[in-house]
Amino acid sequence: MTDVTTNSIAFGGNTPLPANIFNNDKVYYQAVVKGLSGKVVKWAVMAMPKQKEAIVKALGTTSGNLSRLYSKDALDQHQSEQMLDVLKLYVEVCDVLGSTKKADLWLSISAPVLNGEKPIDLMDTFIGRKMVREVVNKIRFGDFS
């Protein structure tokens, strides 16, 4: 797999996360244990507005309550891990497809390889993101078998 950094085209390097967080398990782990700041959630929603509902579902909240997370000093470990995994997958999709516009479109269209599900609708759980990630890797490596 290729390196995935927060400096990818997904965010243009404008991120409150360490650039190597998705390539360094220790940095990733420490961010999860410490808990991401609610400011990261706010930034992510602003950086990925078309993915807001996926973020809401992954964090186990509602759109109405999402703003309450923005002021938290630290999300719990579960929410931090969910948030990082959603961000990582979004970065991967953007990098493989070449732009946020293409990524947003691809995530919103039903995919036969996902039994007709839209990838965005599967991003609220780890197993759903695993399924989407497998398709993204097939696209990345040209494996359409």
Side-chain angles (χ1 to χ4, degrees), residues 50-109:
K50 295 190 180 207
Q51 311 317 320
K52 180 179 178 181
E53 281 307 309
I55 292 169
V56 166
K57 287 198 239 175
L59 293 175
T61 190
T62 64
S63 290
N65 287 329
L66 184 64
S67 63
R68 291 182 182 182
L69 295 177
Y70 297 167
S71 62
K72 289 189 117 186
D73 289 332
L75 302 177
D76 65 37
Q77 288 183 5
H78 176 74
Q79 288 176 319
S80 294
E81 194 164 32
Q82 291 279 2
M83 186 78 243
L84 284 174
D85 199 46
V86 167
L87 289 169
K88 182 178 182 181
L89 180 54
Y90 186 71
V91 168
E92 291 172 11
V93 173
C94 289
D95 286 348
V96 167
L97 297 180
S99 74
T100 56
K101 187 175 181 177
K102 289 178 184 176
D104 289 339
L105 178 63
W106 183 80
L107 288 166
S108 69
I109 296 173

Side-chain angles (χ1 to χ4, degrees), residues 5-17 19 40 43-44 46-48:
T5 69
T6 57
N7 289 326
S8 76
I9 59 172
F11 308 121
N14 183 21
T15 167
L17 298 170
V40 172
W43 164 82
M46 293 179 74
M48 310 179 333

Side-chain angles (χ1 to χ4, degrees), residues 4-7 15 17-28:
V4 178
T5 69
T6 57
N7 289 326
T15 167
L17 298 170
N20 66 340
I21 193 165
F22 300 136
N23 296 317
N24 185 319
D25 289 343
K26 184 175 181 181
V27 173
Y28 191 101

